[in-house]
Amino acid sequence: MIRLLLIGPPGAGKGTQATIISKKYGIPQIATGDMLRQEVKSATDLGTKAKAFMDKGELVPDSLVISMLEKRLKEKDASKGFILDGFPRTVAQADALDGKFKELKIDKFVVIELKVNEENIIQRLSARRVCNSCGKIFNLMTEPPKKDGTCDDCNGSLYQRDDDKEVTIRERFKVYNSKTAPLIEYYAKKGMLKTVTADGSIEAINKSIAAIIDKAFNG
Ligand code: AMP
C-alpha cells in the first residue's frame, strides 16, 4: 500500500505531482492547503480562523490543521493508501502524524523532498493560476491554458491565489525555511527521506518520483 508524504517549498510542484500520482496509483491526494481553501470558501469556523494566516503567507496553527488532517485520514478512501501534500509542515505536525500512524499501525511510508531553486520558483509561482471550479493548476509561463483565463478541462475561470503574490511568496519561503525545512533532517534521521531535484519538467520530476514509489512499495 502506497503512503507518501511530499515535502518542499511553496511552488516546488507538490500539488501537480500529487495529482498525477493520485490518478496513476488510485490513491487519494490529501492536500491540507486545498482543504483549508475549501473551508475558507464555505466560510466555516475553521475557514474563518485559517484565512487570516493564509492571506499573510503564515502557517495555520498546528492544532487546527492536525485535527482537520486526523479527521481526513479516518475517511474510507484513505484506507487504501494516500499521498499527503503539504502536511506535515512543522515538527509538531510530524510528531502528531507519527502518533497517528502508530495508532493506525502504519509503519511503512516514504517521504519525498522536492528540492528547488528559490528564485526560479518565485517566478514560477507568480505565474500560477488555478481553476476556480475544478482546481486544475496552470502556469502562464510553462503550462498556459489554451484559452486565456479559462480552464482547458471544465471551462471554469482561472484566478491567482492571494498568497501567490510576490511579497507573500517571499514570506512563505521564509516560513518554509524556518518551520518546515527542519523536517528534512527529522525524516532523514529516521531513514525515510528521499530527495528529488525538482527544477526540471513535470514529466522528468514525475519519473523520478514514480521510480522511488515503485522501488519502495512494489519492489
Ligand atoms: P499550500 O496550498 O499547501 O501552499 O497551502 C496554502 C496555505 O495554507 C499555507 O501557506 C498555510 O497558510 C496553509 N497551510 C496548508 N497546509 C498547512 C499545514 N500543514 N500547516 C499549517 N498551515 C498550512
Side-chain angles (χ1 to χ4, degrees):
M1 189 171 316
I2 297 171
R3 296 191 186 92
L4 199 68
L5 274 56
L6 285 187
I7 294 185
K14 296 186 298 291
T16 306
Q17 294 298 334
T19 306
I20 301 173
I21 296 161
S22 152
K23 280 192 191 130
K24 180 169 175 193
Y25 296 95
I27 50 171
Q29 167 187 5
I30 301 181
T32 44
D34 289 347
M35 291 167 75
L36 288 167
R37 276 185 290 280
Q38 189 54 49
E39 299 281 340
V40 171
K41 211 170 164 185
S42 313
T44 62
D45 236 25
L46 170 58
T48 314
K49 283 183 192 141
K51 189 175 187 319
F53 297 96
M54 294 169 76
D55 284 350
K56 282 187 280 181
E58 290 170 12
L59 293 183
V60 173
D62 286 330
S63 59
L64 298 179
V65 189
I66 290 170
S67 58
M68 177 181 81
L69 194 269
E70 287 184 340
K71 224 162 80 195
R72 179 66 185 87
L73 282 181
K74 280 194 207 136
E75 282 173 33
K76 194 157 174 284
D77 63 345
S79 66
K80 55 183 184 181
F82 48 76
I83 166 163
L84 282 185
D85 156 12
F87 185 99
R89 261 186 162 88
T90 63
V91 170
Q93 292 178 18
D95 284 339
L97 189 66
D98 219 44
K100 197 72 204 161
F101 281 178
K102 285 207 173 91
E103 186 190 316
L104 298 170
K105 302 207 171 7
I106 294 175
D107 52 12
K108 188 169 179 188
F109 66 97
V110 169
V111 183
I112 299 183
E113 174 201 7
L114 298 184
K115 215 183 166 83
V116 290
N117 173 295
E118 219 170 285
E119 280 309 314
N120 288 352
I121 290 301
I122 289 174
Q123 285 195 4
R124 197 205 285 176
L125 266 190
S126 359
R128 176 158 75 177
R129 298 293 181 273
V130 186
C131 172
N132 73 354
S133 172
C134 73
K136 189 178 166 85
I137 300 163
F138 293 86
N139 187 291
L140 301 183
M141 279 154 41
T142 55
E143 311 275 328
K146 292 197 180 84
K147 195 174 144 208
D148 259 6
T150 306
C151 177
D152 290 355
D153 285 2
C154 76
N155 276 325
S157 16
L158 306 186
Y159 73 100
Q160 181 177 39
R161 281 167 42 176
D162 286 338
D163 57 356
D164 279 345
K165 311 265 152 71
E166 190 173 329
V167 279
T168 319
I169 296 170
R170 291 199 184 271
E171 178 58 28
R172 289 166 66 205
F173 262 102
K174 230 163 78 192
V175 171
Y176 176 80
N177 287 328
S178 67
K179 303 263 175 69
T180 308
L183 293 181
I184 306 297
E185 189 58 28
Y186 177 102
Y187 286 116
K189 272 197 187 130
K190 289 178 186 262
M192 289 173 146
L193 188 78
K194 306 278 178 209
T195 299
V196 165
T197 304
D199 286 317
S201 70
I202 291 176
E203 291 73 23
I205 300 163
N206 189 252
K207 229 170 141 180
S208 311
I209 295 177
I212 293 171
I213 294 177
D214 292 338
K215 185 151 183 255
F217 295 99
N218 305 322

